[in-house]
Amino acid sequence: MIINSPAIVIHSLRYSEADLIVSLFTKTSGLRSYLLKGVLKSKRGKIKASLFQPLTLLEIQAFHKDKGSLERIKEAKIKTIYKSLHTDFVKGTLVFFISEVLKNSIQEEETNTDLFEYIETALMWLDTHDTIGNFHITFLTKLTQYLGFYPDIPNVESDYFNMQEGVFQSISSNIYCVSGDQVKLFKQFLGTTFEASMDIKLSKNTRSDILAMLLVYFELHLHGFKKPKSLSVLNEIFN
């Protein structure tokens, strides 16, 4: 079957001397892996290795066998040219962090148009804004909504956030209940926009604490989720 679809580059891996295996989150077919033969050595081929930088927005035409094996890309081109996402050092660090989070979060070959459009919109926002200090906190918070474990907010005024259950409560009932400034400030990210979230004032330590809390939250709710290797670099830049 031939498909035509927008796609987001999640991950690429060198395979042998000249090949790449790339993982793309497609709008029409969910997460798919493709084998690009000879792309690292070919200078005249239609498909260039440079197209597959993390979080690049593509338009692809591909052959899907739908048998759980590596698929094949016939054509690929840039859908949207970023202004700064791959050239600005700080944004580039966010790109690697987000791509790792998505690599560990999106695992199913199922269409999820809402999730695709959220990621695409978030990347376009990041590319066109300069005040981005809280972007990763907002991105992860909103991402939980599309992955199915957004915090339940009827008791949002309560002091404790139970990460295991995803609820706010007045007492600590297990080792995954957290409270304090990180929870008070985390509540401000719930239901807000990227623009508004940039006005939330966080100390270096609190920003780091909220991020660490969110990553534990992801680990509790996504099987096999691992903390991104780029976390230490991200914390150095934003803290």
Side-chain angles (χ1 to χ4, degrees):
M1 179 176 66
I2 297 178
I3 67 104
N4 293 277
S5 178
I8 300 170
V9 179
I10 302 298
H11 179 69
S12 62
L13 175 68
R14 185 170 186 145
Y15 181 73
S16 74
E17 291 186 2
D19 304 342
L20 272 182
I21 294 176
V22 297
S23 181
L24 306 182
F25 184 47
T26 70
K27 190 171 184 177
T28 62
S29 307
L31 186 69
R32 297 293 177 125
S33 293
Y34 301 88
L35 176 61
L36 306 177
K37 291 186 176 181
V39 71
L40 296 176
K41 287 189 175 181
S42 174
K43 295 182 179 180
R44 296 183 179 180
K46 292 182 179 180
I47 301 176
K48 306 294 184 183
S50 58
L51 292 173
F52 300 95
Q53 296 182 67
L55 304 187
T56 299
L57 299 174
L58 299 175
E59 287 279 0
I60 66 167
Q61 184 177 83
F63 298 100
H64 285 183
K65 294 182 179 180
D66 294 327
K67 294 182 178 180
S69 58
L70 294 172
E71 312 288 10
R72 189 158 57 94
I73 295 177
K74 180 181 180 182
E75 295 182 7
K77 62 181 181 180
I78 297 291
K79 178 177 184 285
T80 303
I81 299 175
Y82 290 132
K83 297 178 180 178
S84 62
L85 216 60
H86 288 145
T87 55
D88 180 277
F89 175 73
V90 174
K91 291 183 180 181
T93 303
L94 280 169
V95 164
F96 280 107
F97 174 78
I98 292 168
S99 65
E100 280 194 86
V101 167
L102 295 175
K103 177 177 176 286
N104 290 328
S105 301
I106 306 172
Q107 300 170 351
E108 298 181 0
E109 293 183 355
E110 294 182 1
T111 303
N112 191 333
T113 302
D114 290 341
L115 175 58
F116 183 94
E117 291 179 349
Y118 164 66
I119 297 170
E120 182 179 39
T121 299
L123 294 175
M124 293 303 298
W125 190 94
L126 178 61
D127 184 52
T128 54
H129 288 76
D130 296 322
T131 303
I132 56 173
N134 291 334
F135 178 85
H136 47 309
I137 304 293
T138 312
F139 181 84
L140 292 183
T141 303
K142 289 180 174 293
L143 183 60
T144 64
Q145 182 176 351
Y146 297 91
L147 296 177
F149 54 98
Y150 190 75
D152 198 21
I153 60 173
N155 298 313
V156 71
E157 299 302 324
S158 299
D159 292 335
Y160 289 90
F161 178 45
N162 183 337
M163 293 187 289
Q164 190 172 52
E165 302 296 332
V167 299
F168 294 93
Q169 55 192 48
S170 59
I171 60 171
S172 176
S173 58
N174 59 50
I175 61 173
Y176 297 112
C177 289
V178 290
S179 62
D181 287 344
Q182 61 180 335
V183 173
K184 292 177 182 177
L185 289 163
F186 171 60
K187 292 175 183 178
Q188 296 183 39
F189 287 89
L190 299 174
T192 192
T193 63
F194 280 105
E195 288 85 353
S197 71
M198 298 307 143
D199 294 327
I200 300 173
K201 304 300 182 184
L202 301 178
S203 68
K204 296 178 181 179
N205 289 337
T206 303
R207 180 179 286 109
S208 179
D209 289 344
I210 293 175
L211 181 57
M213 180 186 74
L214 276 167
L215 291 175
V216 171
Y217 189 47
F218 271 66
E219 286 183 284
L220 288 170
H221 292 271
L222 292 175
H223 178 72
F225 184 86
K226 298 178 181 179
K227 287 186 176 68
K229 295 178 181 179
S230 56
L231 177 61
S232 59
V233 178
L234 188 74
N235 279 333
E236 285 183 17
I237 290 175
F238 285 94
N239 295 334

